[in-house]
Amino acid sequence: MGLYNPLYVILILCLIFLLLSPQFSHSMSCTSQKFNKNKLYEHCNDLPHLNCYIHWSYNSKDSSLNLAFVAAPTKPDGWIAWGINPTGTGMVGTQSLIAFKNSDDTIVVKTFKLNSYKSIVPGELAHYRVSNMEAMYSKGMMVIFASIELPKGVRELNQVWQVGSSVLNGTFPGIHDFQPDNLNSKGKLDLMKGQSVGNGPEDFMVKSRNIHGILNVVSWGILFPIGIMIARYLRTFVDPVWFYVHVACQLSSYIIGVSGWATGLKLGSQSKGIVYTSHRDFGIALFCLATLQVFALFLRPKKEHKYRFYWNMYHHGVGYGVLVLGIINVFKGLEILKPESKWKLAYIIFLSILGGIALILEAITWSIVLKKKPGKSNNKLYDGRQ
């Protein structure tokens, strides 16, 4: 009988949903990357977006920067780019090195000037003399090698990097995606400290996205399922303590979830032109159902009331709806944030453990119920009456 417990079935379905979904990208570290021809660099940095890496050495005596930029193009026939913006922190004005596969199927690197969003001009870079340019492609990763002569006295650079999926006629890079990672792929290269740092506003956005994700995982992905299990199984062992623990857990989940929802709204208002439709729609539906569930606490009739049966149906139905939407939307959020694969694995393990505990408790609960007198057995498995 325990195998047909709605909670257990829902957890198993959500687990299957997660397992069948695309894997998250896993970022290697730049320290594990090696190059042929004994090319060594003093510093290496994992760039914060697009799974890109830069290896570099700076010689202050002659203001020379030797670098190897490593990235995976969006598609095998795509392109990668790294550049310096001498006048700003964005793409416009960037003097860039772009590597791609040309018409004769060899990997080349060429210099381009990005005068505007619609004007990419091939040719020698202004302000910088570039030499020793070459590119390679191996195991899905493309590398740009170059030496750049910088103006005297430069202490830091505004760097911009990008990846794309197409090359027009084998000679010109096509347009790239406009996802958040593409729009935020910029930062500063501190030549004196040997480190790459992000720009302030972009770093703030990344932190806000992470906070939004953590709040919602804790709320809808962890606390809410635990609260449902408390209501279903703890009643058999500690009545009426289960009721107060259940309410405390679900109210905490709701309060944290509202905080996560509010940060999501704030992120949406600050990210013009970036919309995750399904994640947003699931979030709206989840918030509405969760709010409706909170009202259940104030609308709950007494045990003997004739409408108590209908209230139970409403309370259980909405609760399981929040459970399903919450777990699915947690996954959709993780898909947007693209954390390391260990976080997806950790959440799958958590759901597996929760499902296993639900199955064990279901069996124990039914064994206790069936040992009771027939007249009392129907009341001891959670029916929402408290």
Side-chain angles (χ1 to χ4, degrees), residues 94-384:
T94 297
Q95 311 289 302
S96 64
L97 312 175
I98 303 181
F100 53 87
K101 186 183 295 185
N102 65 12
S103 54
D104 62 3
D105 229 25
T106 59
I107 305 298
V108 298
V109 55
K110 296 183 179 181
T111 54
F112 291 83
K113 292 173 284 187
L114 282 66
N115 298 328
S116 71
Y117 286 105
K118 296 182 179 180
S119 174
I120 302 178
V121 180
E124 293 185 3
L125 303 184
H127 312 295
Y128 310 105
R129 189 169 70 86
V130 184
S131 59
N132 302 322
M133 289 193 303
E134 59 177 302
M136 60 171 287
Y137 183 85
S138 177
K139 298 180 180 179
M141 303 297 288
M142 198 174 285
V143 186
I144 295 174
F145 298 100
S147 298
I148 304 175
E149 185 178 320
L150 303 175
K152 296 291 184 179
V154 173
R155 301 180 64 87
E156 65 177 21
L157 301 174
N158 295 321
Q159 62 173 340
V160 180
W161 61 95
Q162 195 56 254
V163 297
S165 60
S166 62
V167 178
L168 306 178
N169 300 320
T171 59
F172 204 83
I175 192 169
H176 61 76
D177 293 335
F178 286 88
Q179 297 300 314
D181 276 351
N182 299 92
L183 300 176
N184 292 324
S185 55
K186 51 191 175 182
K188 293 185 181 297
L189 192 66
D190 192 319
L191 302 175
M192 299 296 105
K193 295 181 180 179
Q195 63 185 16
S196 173
V197 295
N199 291 314
E202 286 75 22
D203 284 350
F204 177 76
M205 287 290 289
V206 171
K207 290 179 181 179
S208 298
R209 291 171 66 194
N210 290 339
I211 291 172
H212 170 71
I214 291 170
L215 289 174
N216 284 288
V217 168
V218 171
S219 172
W220 312 119
I222 297 177
L223 283 180
F224 200 86
I226 291 175
I228 289 181
M229 290 183 64
I230 289 172
R232 182 166 181 85
Y233 302 117
L234 208 59
R235 175 186 174 92
T236 305
F237 307 100
V238 283
D239 189 12
V241 175
W242 71 269
F243 175 75
Y244 302 104
V245 178
H246 168 67
V247 170
C249 187
Q250 300 307 67
L251 283 180
S252 299
S253 171
Y254 181 74
I255 293 171
I256 296 173
V258 169
S259 301
W261 188 68
T263 59
L265 292 178
K266 182 68 173 178
L267 280 169
S269 66
Q270 294 175 339
S271 307
K272 301 298 183 182
I274 302 174
V275 180
Y276 298 101
T277 304
S278 60
H279 183 60
R280 179 199 61 191
D281 293 345
F282 271 111
I284 293 173
L286 176 61
F287 176 75
C288 292
L289 282 180
T291 302
L292 190 62
Q293 188 72 328
V294 169
F295 281 115
L297 182 65
F298 305 101
L299 300 174
R300 182 170 55 97
K302 294 182 179 180
K303 295 180 183 179
E304 300 78 15
H305 198 283
K306 63 179 180 179
Y307 291 123
R308 183 59 179 246
F309 172 78
Y310 301 104
W311 181 88
N312 288 341
M313 292 179 60
Y314 143 68
H315 185 55
H316 296 170
V318 173
Y320 285 122
V322 172
L323 176 66
V324 172
L325 290 178
I327 293 177
I328 291 177
N329 215 32
V330 162
F331 172 71
K332 287 187 174 294
L334 290 173
E335 193 175 40
I336 294 169
L337 288 176
K338 290 182 171 62
E340 294 183 8
S341 56
K342 65 182 180 181
W343 297 111
K344 176 187 178 182
L345 179 61
Y347 191 60
I348 290 174
I349 291 173
F350 167 76
L351 288 180
S352 302
I353 293 173
L354 209 62
I357 293 174
L359 180 61
I360 294 171
L361 290 177
E362 187 74 13
I364 294 174
T365 301
W366 276 104
S367 67
I368 294 175
V369 168
L370 293 176
K371 290 178 182 179
K372 301 290 185 179
K373 293 181 181 181
K376 297 181 179 180
S377 63
N378 291 334
N379 293 327
K380 295 308 289 179
L381 189 64
Y382 173 58
D383 60 0

